[in-house]
């Protein structure tokens, strides 16, 4: 699987670390220089980061180099080779600033103390201390700034150091700080990889190579702990990713098997991750970024390359100069051959390629590759260009296949604009019924009879080629109405046909003169709006209001007119009149005569009076209801009144009944 | 027979008819006379109410209905009472006067429940 993944063609990297980025980081480092302490940032460690960045980006003329060297040496002397990290930082700074030349370790402090420090740390130090001791030793010896006596003491300790370092490797391939630790971490692993690579390179011993091979066998499990997204890969954070990449690639330079484990694609993914960390905020991040990018640029596994368009928008006349550049991660040009594999429309990427297998020519003047597509009949629009890049140096670079979108934009013209109308649609093609207008001009007012069918016909062309735009509409407008209708595309031409009924529907049956505009919109052309004519339309139907809620008059409430009433006097007169028959009744009674002598006595009297009283009360209750009360109250009172009424009624009636039956018996 | 006939035809003047009516009517029991008086009273009241409606207007119509139903209803019920009380009709054996009067009152109560629904 790893072999297969190694030959996978990638898209290359989407971005590079350009000169601009280098200038930005240079400015960032300079801004951290402290004139008082003669150091970058706060400490010797920050200075180690700052100097590391500047030397790696090829900044040869570092301001205040002498001051920094002087300050570093002073700090080393003061420390008297006691703090291994400080010594490591200091020695590295001096080495990178080339201040170690002609110096001896004794000028930095006591030689014996240095020997003791290195010996102690190599034998008993933690993993990081061991790696720092190894780095100090190698740095000093390559600068020839170390005593031959010290060399004779330290050299034999190195193989032992390799042994003890490899023994700190955990089962998952990570390295522990000390043997008593539970598990290893990636920072230790990175430092161990780098130190082991240096040792293997220096010692050239089979024993060391075997131990290194043992470590390399576990590299795949270390790699598997990476966090991966679709196009990037990293370990925890920038500094871990950077250190581990640095360690891995150093290891790869001494053991070929590493290249089988780490793939071309993974290097690309790590590069993508690194390029997203361009905006650094600390000296440490800056150092780790640049170290990792430099390792990506030059390594023995795979060096990422980038293909970039010089420009992505072309006019039809500029198609003879489609330019791309192929560079490494630091934007340095790479020798290669480029073929445009295929060109397809972006709208329909699966369609048949418009172009395929077009070779690009190298132009040394600006290190770009050029293709002339002016004869390829490319219409306006966006295209997916698939480039295949085959680098010349196949050992360092792998070929990539990259898709870029190129947009061809320009102006369009409208041809054959015709407005025709006729009673029947098959007569529309006849020249008699057709009015033609040149692009940019305007037709005189045309009256379209209401029983006719009308058609607007036109073609859109770009560079004498038919062109299909994304949005093509015809706008009808008058001060009262406005409507835009889409034109239908068919057989390289656009048309819009409408009857009086259609127009009535879109324009709300508002008769009158309408201006006609042609509107063309598309992302790859200059938008166009052309007022090409004016028509008069007449509709038989009544106008439909523009507002869906028609305007309403204010609501006026019609109250019922009071019926005619008679004057008060007539009502009063009638009241008297209607009561007058009572007089007849009373006078009549006088003539007929009443027989009150038979009015009962005793209990009969009480019952009769009670009965009459209840009947009178019922009458009064009705009068009371008429004048003041409600039905509810009246019925309740009536129900109450019914109790004595029924009682007295029954009693008095039975009294009279007994009385009359006893009279009959007497008779 | 013919003499009797001519005499009776001579006696058939308006006054003689009225006189004969009153003579016969005077033999009517007093209770019936009082009922007749009440009938006249309700009849005239009803006529006046109806005349007012025709001459002046129906407004308020519900009041007119109440008054008219009351007078007509009262009249009908009183006529029924009179029939039941009249000794000629021989209701006395099955329905006593008191029972008839109680029925009359009960019917009047129900009638006036309807009537006062129409009062405005």
């Amino acid at each position: 699987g790893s072999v297969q993944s190694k030959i996978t063609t990638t898209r290359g990297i989407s971005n590079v670390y350009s000169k601009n980025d280098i200038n930005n980081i240079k400015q960032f480092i300079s801004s951290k220089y402290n004139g008082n302490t003669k150091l970058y940032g706060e400490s010797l460690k920050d200075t180690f980061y700052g100097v590391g960045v500047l030397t790696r980006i090829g900044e040869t003329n570092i301001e205040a180099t002498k001051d920094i060297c002087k300050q570093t040496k002073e700090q080393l002397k003061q420390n008297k080779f006691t703090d291994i990290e400080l010594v490591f930082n200091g020695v590295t700074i001096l080495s990178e600033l080339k201040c170690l030349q002609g110096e001896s370790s004794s000028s930095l402090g006591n030689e014996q103390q240095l020997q003791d420090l290195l010996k102690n740390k190599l034998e008993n130090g933690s993993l990081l201390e061991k790696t720092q001791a190894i780095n100090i030793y190698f740095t000093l010896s390559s600068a020839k700034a170390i005593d031959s006596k010290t060399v004779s003491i330290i050299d034999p300790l190195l193989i032992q150091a390799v042994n003890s370092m490899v023994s700190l490797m955990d089962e998952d391939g990570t390295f522990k700080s000390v043997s008593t630790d539970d598990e290893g971490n990636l920072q230790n692993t990175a430092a161990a990889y780098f130190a082991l690579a240096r040792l293997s390179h220096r010692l050239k011993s089979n024993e060391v190579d075997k131990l290194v091979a043992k470590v390399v066998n576990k590299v795949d499990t270390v790699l598997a702990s990476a966090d991966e997204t679709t196009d990037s890969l990293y370990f925890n954070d920038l500094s871990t990713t950077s250190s581990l990449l640095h360690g891995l690639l150093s290891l790869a330079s001494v053991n070929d098997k590493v290249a089988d484990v780490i793939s071309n694609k993974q290097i690309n993914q790590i590069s993508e991750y690194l390029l997203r960390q361009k905006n650094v905020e600390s000296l440490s991040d800056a150092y780790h970024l640049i170290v990792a990018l430099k390792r990506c640029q030059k390594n023995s596994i795979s060096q990422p390359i980038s293909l970039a368009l010089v420009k992505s928008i072309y006019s039809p006349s500029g198609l003879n100069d489609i330019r791309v550049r192929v560079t490494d991660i630091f934007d340095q040009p790479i020798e290669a051959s480029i073929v445009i594999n295929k060109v397809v429309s972006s709208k329909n990427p699966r369609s048949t390629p418009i172009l395929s297998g077009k070779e690009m020519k190298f132009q040394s003047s600006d290190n770009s590759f050029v293709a002339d597509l002016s004869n390829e009949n490319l219409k306006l629009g966006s295209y997916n260009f698939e480039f295949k890049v085959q680098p010349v140096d196949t050992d360092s670079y792998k070929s990539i296949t990259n898709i870029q979108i190129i947009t061809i934009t320009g102006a369009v013209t409208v041809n054959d604009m015709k407005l025709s109308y006729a009673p029947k649609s098959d007569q529309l093609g006849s020249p008699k019924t057709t009015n033609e207008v040149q692009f940019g001009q305007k037709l005189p007012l045309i009256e379209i009879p209401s029983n006719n069918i009308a058609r607007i016909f036109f073609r859109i062309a770009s560079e004498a080629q038919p062109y299909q735009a994304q949005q093509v509409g015809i706008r009808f407008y008058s001060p009262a109405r406005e409507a835009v209708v889409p034109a239908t595309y068919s057989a390289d031409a656009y048309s819009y046909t409408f009857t009086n009924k259609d127009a009535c529907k879109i324009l709300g049956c508002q008769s009158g003169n309408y201006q006609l505009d042609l509107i063309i919109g598309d992302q790859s052309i200059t938008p166009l709006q052309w007022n090409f004519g004016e028509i008069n339309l007449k509709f038989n139907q009544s106008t439909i209001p523009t507002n869906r809620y028609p305007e309403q008059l204010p609501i006026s409430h019609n109250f019922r007119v009071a019926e005619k009433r008679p004057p008060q006097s007539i009502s009063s007169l009638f009241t008297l009149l209607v009561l007058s028959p009572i007089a007849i009744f009373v006078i009549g009674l006088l003539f007929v005569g009443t027989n009150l002598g038979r009015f009962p006595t005793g209990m009969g009297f009480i019952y009769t009076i009670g009965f009459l009283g209840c009947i009178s009360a019922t009458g009064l209750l009705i009068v009371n209801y008429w004048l003041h009360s409600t039905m509810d109250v009246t019925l309740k009172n009536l129900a109450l009144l019914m109790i004595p009424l029924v009682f007295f009624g029954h009693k008095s009636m039975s009294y009279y009944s007994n009385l009359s039956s006893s009279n009959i018996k007497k008779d | 027979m013919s003499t009797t006939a001519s005499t009776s035809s001579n006696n058939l003047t308006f006054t003689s008819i009225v006189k004969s009516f009153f003579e016969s009517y005077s033999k009517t029991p007093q209770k019936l006379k009082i009922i007749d008086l009440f009938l006249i009273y309700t009849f005239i009241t009803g006529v006046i109410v109806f005349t007012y409606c025709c001459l002046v207007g129906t407004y308020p119509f519900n009041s007119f209905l109440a008054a008219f139903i009351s007078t007509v209803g009262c009249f009908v019920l009183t006529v029924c009472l009179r029939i039941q009380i009249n000794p000629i009709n021989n209701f006395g054996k099955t329905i006593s006067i008191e029972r008839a009067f109680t029925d009359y009152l009960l019917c009047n109560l129900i009638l006036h429940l309807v009537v006062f629904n129409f009062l405005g």
Side-chain angles (χ1 to χ4, degrees), chain A residues 387-582:
Chain A
F387 297 97
K388 170 128 180 127
V389 181
Q390 186 63 57
V392 173
D393 177 2
T394 48
D395 289 339
S396 306
Y397 304 102
K398 303 288 178 286
S399 65
I400 61 165
T401 305
N402 187 298
I403 294 172
Q404 298 282 342
I405 295 173
I406 289 181
T407 303
I408 304 170
T409 93
V412 288
T413 55
V414 180
N415 300 329
D416 294 344
M417 171 58 92
K418 289 170 195 160
L419 172 60
S420 36
Y421 59 98
K424 286 181 180 169
S425 60
D426 54 3
Q427 297 166 339
L428 283 171
S430 151
K432 283 182 190 170
T433 61
T434 303
N435 301 275
E436 196 161 349
V437 61
Q438 291 293 315
F439 181 47
Q441 293 179 1
K442 189 179 174 183
L443 282 168
L445 178 65
I446 294 168
E447 199 163 309
I448 297 176
S450 61
N451 61 348
N452 276 18
I453 182 165
R455 185 173 70 186
I456 296 162
F457 174 95
F458 53 95
R459 296 173 196 277
I460 301 174
S462 141
E463 308 278 319
Q465 292 285 327
Y467 181 74
Q468 186 179 3
Q470 286 164 340
Q471 295 165 328
V472 180
I474 293 155
R475 174 172 171 240
F476 292 76
Y477 68 101
S478 72
R481 302 279 166 158
E482 179 175 354
V484 180
V485 289
T488 320
Y489 183 77
S490 159
D492 293 344
Y494 285 90
S495 65
Y496 176 66
T497 310
F498 62 98
T499 60
N500 187 265
K501 203 177 161 189
D502 299 332
C504 176
K505 203 171 170 187
I506 61 165
L507 299 168
C509 301
Q510 172 91 55
S511 302
N513 289 0
Y514 285 91
Q515 296 289 338
L516 295 176
D517 275 8
L518 173 64
I519 301 172
I520 304 171
D522 193 299
Q523 60 153 354
S524 52
I525 64 160
T526 320
L528 187 145
Q529 182 166 359
W530 168 32
N531 177 219
F532 65 90
E534 187 176 5
I535 53 170
N536 180 276
L537 295 170
K538 283 197 174 67
F539 301 107
N540 300 325
Q541 296 91 327
S542 57
T543 308
I544 298 163
T546 45
N547 193 337
R548 53 188 283 219
Y549 305 106
E551 207 172 293
Q552 303 283 13
L553 291 170
I555 296 169
S556 66
H557 297 276
N558 282 329
F559 295 96
R560 195 178 68 169
V561 181
E563 286 175 53
K564 269 189 180 175
R565 289 185 192 198
Q568 184 78 40
S569 53
I570 291 179
S571 294
S572 308
L573 183 70
F574 172 73
T575 309
L576 284 176
L577 198 61
V578 92
L579 290 174
S580 61
I582 291 177

Side-chain angles (χ1 to χ4, degrees), chain A residues 75-94:
Chain A
Q75 289 216 6
L76 283 173
K77 276 180 190 163
Q78 278 173 16
N79 187 260
K80 295 178 180 166
F81 296 123
T82 49
D83 181 348
I84 184 88
E85 192 178 351
L86 188 137
V87 176
F88 167 69
N89 291 333
V91 167
T92 313
I93 292 165
L94 295 175

Side-chain angles (χ1 to χ4, degrees), chain A residues 144-305:
Chain A
K144 297 193 171 61
I146 200 158
D147 225 46
S148 55
K149 193 182 164 199
T150 313
V151 173
S152 65
I153 293 169
I154 301 300
D155 261 356
L157 293 176
L158 292 177
I159 291 185
Q160 194 194 330
V162 173
N163 265 312
S164 66
M165 274 163 62
V166 174
S167 72
L168 286 171
M169 187 171 72
D170 210 359
E171 281 188 1
D172 64 356
T174 58
F175 283 74
K176 297 186 272 195
S177 270
V178 288
S179 55
T180 50
D181 276 2
D182 287 339
E183 50 186 21
N185 67 45
L186 291 173
Q187 285 284 4
N188 284 342
T189 311
Y193 284 172
F194 181 62
L196 287 171
R198 272 190 117 169
L199 287 164
S200 166
H201 188 72
R202 171 75 176 260
L203 299 174
K204 292 191 171 57
S205 112
N206 284 336
E207 194 189 344
V208 172
D209 289 347
K210 273 181 194 167
L211 288 167
V212 168
K214 192 180 163 192
V215 172
V216 170
N217 280 338
K218 294 277 185 183
V219 165
D220 54 348
T221 52
V222 174
L223 272 176
S225 70
D227 299 301
E228 193 172 357
T229 65
T230 359
D231 56 358
S232 73
L233 186 132
Y234 60 97
F235 302 89
N236 301 342
D237 53 21
L238 176 61
S239 72
T240 313
T241 310
S242 166
S243 310
L244 205 59
L245 180 74
H246 185 44
L248 275 168
L249 295 178
S250 304
L251 212 54
S253 65
V254 296
N255 188 313
D256 294 340
K257 280 187 179 170
V258 178
D260 297 340
V261 181
I262 182 161
S263 72
N264 172 26
K265 188 183 163 201
Q266 283 167 323
I267 301 275
N268 263 302
Q269 284 176 307
I270 294 173
S271 306
E272 290 283 358
Y273 167 76
L274 295 171
L275 289 166
R276 284 179 202 168
Q277 316 294 320
K278 274 181 187 178
N279 299 318
V280 291
E281 282 171 354
S282 68
L283 286 166
S284 156
D285 278 353
Y287 172 78
H288 287 113
L289 176 69
I290 294 299
V291 166
L293 288 173
K294 277 284 165 187
R295 287 310 315 213
C296 288
Q297 188 191 20
K298 290 269 181 278
N299 65 65
S300 58
I301 297 177
S302 163
Q303 295 170 190
I305 51 178

Side-chain angles (χ1 to χ4, degrees), chain A residues 560-633:
Chain A
R560 195 178 68 169
V561 181
E563 286 175 53
K564 269 189 180 175
R565 289 185 192 198
Q568 184 78 40
S569 53
I570 291 179
S571 294
S572 308
L573 183 70
F574 172 73
T575 309
L576 284 176
L577 198 61
V578 92
L579 290 174
S580 61
I582 291 177
I584 297 170
F585 182 64
V586 173
I587 294 163
L589 277 181
L590 292 178
F591 282 101
V592 172
T594 49
N595 195 359
L596 290 172
R598 287 179 69 189
F599 203 85
T601 51
M603 286 308 285
F605 176 80
I606 295 166
Y607 293 145
T608 308
I609 288 295
F611 186 41
L612 289 174
C614 285
I615 289 173
S616 310
T618 308
L620 285 174
L621 195 66
I622 292 173
V623 173
N624 182 52
Y625 164 72
W626 181 37
L627 297 177
H628 321 285
S629 190
T630 63
M631 180 69 87
D632 188 44
V633 176

